[in-house]
Coordinates of all heavy atoms in Angstrom, one line a residue:
S1 N -15.6 21.8 3.2 CA -16.8 22.5 3.6 C -17.7 21.8 4.6 O -18.8 22.3 5.0 CB -17.8 22.7 2.4 OG -17.1 23.6 1.5
E2 N -17.2 20.6 5.2 CA -18.0 20.0 6.4 C -17.4 20.6 7.7 O -16.8 19.9 8.5 CB -17.8 18.6 6.3 CG -18.6 17.9 5.2 CD -18.6 16.3 5.2 OE1 -18.0 15.7 6.0 OE2 -19.3 15.8 4.3
N3 N -17.4 21.9 7.8 CA -16.9 22.5 9.0 C -17.3 22.0 10.3 O -18.5 21.8 10.5 CB -17.1 24.1 8.8 CG -16.5 24.7 7.7 OD1 -16.3 24.1 6.7 ND2 -16.0 25.9 7.7
G4 N -16.4 21.8 11.2 CA -16.7 21.2 12.6 C -17.0 19.8 12.6 O -17.3 19.2 13.6
I5 N -16.9 19.1 11.5 CA -17.2 17.7 11.3 C -16.0 16.9 10.7 O -15.4 17.4 9.8 CB -18.5 17.4 10.5 CG1 -19.7 18.1 11.1 CG2 -18.7 16.0 10.3 CD1 -21.0 18.1 10.4
V6 N -15.9 15.7 11.3 CA -14.9 14.8 10.6 C -15.5 13.4 10.5 O -16.6 13.2 11.2 CB -13.5 14.8 11.5 CG1 -12.8 16.0 11.4 CG2 -13.8 14.1 12.9
R7 N -15.0 12.6 9.6 CA -15.6 11.2 9.5 C -14.5 10.2 10.1 O -13.3 10.2 9.7 CB -15.8 10.9 8.1 CG -16.8 11.9 7.4 CD -17.0 11.5 5.9 NE -17.9 12.6 5.4 CZ -18.3 12.6 4.2 NH1 -18.0 11.5 3.3 NH2 -19.1 13.6 3.7
V8 N -15.0 9.6 11.1 CA -14.0 8.5 11.7 C -14.6 7.1 11.5 O -15.7 6.9 11.8 CB -14.0 8.8 13.3 CG1 -13.2 7.7 14.0 CG2 -13.6 10.1 13.7
N9 N -13.7 6.4 10.7 CA -14.3 5.1 10.1 C -15.5 5.3 9.5 O -16.5 4.4 9.7 CB -14.2 4.1 11.3 CG -12.8 3.9 11.7 OD1 -11.8 4.0 11.1 ND2 -12.7 3.5 13.0
N10 N -15.8 6.2 8.6 CA -16.9 6.5 7.8 C -18.1 6.9 8.6 O -19.3 7.0 8.1 CB -17.2 5.3 7.0 CG -16.3 5.1 5.8 OD1 -15.8 6.2 5.3 ND2 -16.0 4.0 5.5
R11 N -18.0 7.3 9.9 CA -19.1 7.8 10.6 C -18.8 9.4 10.9 O -17.7 9.6 11.5 CB -19.2 7.1 12.0 CG -19.6 5.6 11.7 CD -19.9 4.9 13.0 NE -21.2 5.3 13.4 CZ -21.7 4.9 14.6 NH1 -21.1 4.0 15.4 NH2 -22.9 5.4 15.0
R12 N -19.8 10.1 10.7 CA -19.6 11.7 10.9 C -19.6 11.9 12.4 O -20.5 11.4 13.1 CB -20.7 12.3 10.1 CG -20.6 12.2 8.7 CD -21.9 12.8 8.0 NE -22.3 14.1 8.4 CZ -22.2 15.3 7.8 NH1 -21.8 15.2 6.4 NH2 -22.5 16.4 8.2
S13 N -18.6 12.8 12.9 CA -18.5 13.1 14.3 C -18.3 14.5 14.4 O -17.5 15.1 13.5 CB -17.4 12.3 14.9 OG -17.7 11.0 14.8
H14 N -18.8 15.2 15.4 CA -18.5 16.6 15.6 C -17.2 16.7 16.5 O -17.0 15.9 17.4 CB -19.7 17.2 16.4 CG -20.9 17.4 15.5 ND1 -21.0 18.5 14.6 CD2 -21.9 16.6 15.3 CE1 -22.2 18.3 13.9 NE2 -22.7 17.2 14.2
L15 N -16.4 17.8 16.4 CA -15.3 18.1 17.1 C -15.7 18.6 18.5 O -16.7 19.3 18.6 CB -14.4 19.0 16.4 CG -13.8 18.5 15.1 CD1 -13.1 19.6 14.3 CD2 -13.0 17.2 15.3
P16 N -14.8 18.5 19.5 CA -13.6 17.7 19.6 C -13.7 16.3 19.8 O -14.9 15.9 20.2 CB -12.8 18.4 20.7 CG -14.0 18.8 21.6 CD -15.2 19.3 20.7
I17 N -12.7 15.5 19.4 CA -12.8 14.1 19.6 C -11.4 13.5 20.1 O -10.4 14.1 19.8 CB -13.1 13.4 18.2 CG1 -14.3 13.9 17.6 CG2 -13.1 11.9 18.3 CD1 -14.5 13.4 16.1
S18 N -11.4 12.5 21.0 CA -10.2 11.8 21.4 C -10.3 10.5 21.0 O -11.5 9.8 21.2 CB -10.2 12.0 23.0 OG -9.0 11.3 23.4
L19 N -9.3 9.8 20.4 CA -9.3 8.4 19.7 C -8.2 7.7 20.3 O -7.1 8.3 20.8 CB -9.4 8.5 18.3 CG -10.5 9.4 17.5 CD1 -10.1 9.5 16.1 CD2 -11.9 8.7 17.8
A20 N -8.4 6.3 20.1 CA -7.2 5.4 20.6 C -6.6 5.7 22.0 O -5.6 5.9 22.1 CB -6.0 5.5 19.4
Q21 N -7.6 5.8 22.9 CA -7.2 5.9 24.4 C -6.5 7.3 24.5 O -5.4 7.3 25.2 CB -6.5 4.8 24.9 CG -7.3 3.6 25.1 CD -7.4 2.7 23.7 OE1 -6.4 2.6 23.1 NE2 -8.6 2.3 23.5
G22 N -6.8 8.4 23.8 CA -6.2 9.6 23.8 C -4.9 9.8 23.1 O -4.3 10.8 23.1
K23 N -4.5 8.8 22.2 CA -3.3 8.9 21.3 C -3.5 9.8 20.2 O -2.6 10.3 19.6 CB -2.8 7.5 21.0 CG -2.4 6.5 22.1 CD -2.1 5.3 21.4 CE -1.6 4.3 22.5 NZ -1.3 3.0 21.9
V24 N -4.8 10.1 19.8 CA -5.1 11.0 18.7 C -6.2 11.9 19.2 O -7.2 11.5 19.7 CB -5.7 10.1 17.4 CG1 -6.0 11.0 16.5 CG2 -4.7 9.0 17.0
Q25 N -5.9 13.2 18.9 CA -6.7 14.3 19.4 C -7.2 15.1 18.2 O -6.3 15.4 17.4 CB -6.0 15.3 20.5 CG -5.5 14.6 21.7 CD -6.8 14.2 22.6 OE1 -7.7 14.9 22.6 NE2 -6.7 13.0 23.3
L26 N -8.5 15.4 18.1 CA -9.0 16.2 16.9 C -9.7 17.5 17.6 O -10.5 17.2 18.5 CB -9.9 15.4 16.1 CG -9.4 14.3 15.4 CD1 -9.2 13.1 16.2 CD2 -10.1 14.0 14.1
Q27 N -9.4 18.6 17.1 CA -10.1 19.7 17.7 C -10.2 20.8 16.6 O -9.4 20.8 15.5 CB -9.4 20.2 18.9 CG -8.0 20.8 18.6 CD -7.1 21.1 19.8 OE1 -6.9 20.2 20.5 NE2 -6.6 22.4 19.8
Q28 N -11.2 21.8 16.8 CA -11.2 22.8 15.9 C -10.2 23.9 16.4 O -10.2 24.3 17.5 CB -12.7 23.3 15.8 CG -12.8 24.5 14.7 CD -14.1 24.5 14.2 OE1 -15.0 23.7 14.5 NE2 -14.4 25.6 13.4
K29 N -9.4 24.5 15.4 CA -8.5 25.6 15.7 C -8.8 26.6 14.8 O -8.4 26.6 13.6 CB -7.1 25.0 15.7 CG -6.1 26.1 16.1 CD -4.8 25.6 16.2 CE -3.7 26.6 16.8 NZ -2.5 26.0 17.1
G30 N -9.5 27.8 15.2 CA -9.9 28.8 14.3 C -10.8 28.2 13.3 O -11.9 27.5 13.6
K31 N -10.4 28.4 12.0 CA -11.3 27.9 10.9 C -10.9 26.6 10.4 O -11.1 26.2 9.3 CB -11.4 29.0 9.8 CG -12.1 30.1 10.2 CD -12.2 31.2 9.1 CE -13.0 32.4 9.5 NZ -13.1 33.3 8.4
S32 N -10.0 26.0 11.1 CA -9.4 24.7 10.7 C -9.6 23.6 11.7 O -9.9 23.7 12.8 CB -7.9 24.9 10.5 OG -7.7 25.8 9.5
V33 N -9.3 22.4 11.2 CA -9.3 21.1 12.1 C -7.7 20.9 12.3 O -7.0 20.8 11.5 CB -10.1 20.0 11.5 CG1 -9.6 19.6 10.2 CG2 -10.1 18.8 12.5
L34 N -7.5 20.5 13.6 CA -6.1 20.1 14.1 C -6.2 18.7 14.5 O -7.1 18.4 15.5 CB -5.7 21.0 15.1 CG -4.3 20.6 15.7 CD1 -3.1 20.7 14.6 CD2 -3.9 21.6 16.8
I35 N -5.4 17.8 13.9 CA -5.2 16.5 14.4 C -3.9 16.3 14.9 O -2.9 16.7 14.3 CB -5.5 15.5 13.3 CG1 -6.8 15.5 12.8 CG2 -5.2 14.1 13.8 CD1 -6.9 16.3 11.5
K36 N -3.8 15.8 16.1 CA -2.4 15.7 16.8 C -2.4 14.2 17.3 O -3.4 13.7 17.8 CB -2.3 16.6 18.0 CG -2.3 18.1 17.6 CD -2.0 18.9 18.8 CE -2.9 18.8 20.0 NZ -2.7 19.8 21.0
T37 N -1.3 13.5 17.2 CA -1.0 12.2 17.7 C 0.0 12.3 18.8 O 0.7 13.3 19.1 CB -0.5 11.2 16.6 OG1 0.9 11.6 16.4 CG2 -1.3 11.2 15.4
D38 N 0.0 11.1 19.6 CA 1.0 11.2 20.7 C 2.5 11.0 20.3 O 3.4 11.3 21.0 CB 0.7 9.9 21.6 CG 0.8 8.6 20.9 OD1 0.7 8.5 19.7 OD2 1.0 7.6 21.5

């Protein structure tokens, strides 16, 4: 139920997010969150 939000190392963040110099991508896809790695 925290739509559009993820917690990165316990800090709330809004999507989209790029982490680890682009090796991890987080985005909203429809009503879901999609996490992709390199």
Side-chain angles (χ1 to χ4, degrees):
S1 297
E2 290 186 356
N3 297 35
I5 297 171
V6 297
R7 299 176 187 187
V8 178
N9 295 331
N10 289 323
R11 297 187 71 181
R12 292 168 52 109
S13 302
H14 290 273
L15 298 174
I17 304 169
S18 179
L19 303 168
Q21 293 81 44
K23 293 178 183 178
V24 181
Q25 300 288 324
L26 294 86
Q27 65 189 56
Q28 188 154 349
K29 185 170 183 175
K31 295 182 178 182
S32 300
V33 57
L34 173 64
I35 297 101
K36 298 188 295 187
T37 69
D38 62 336

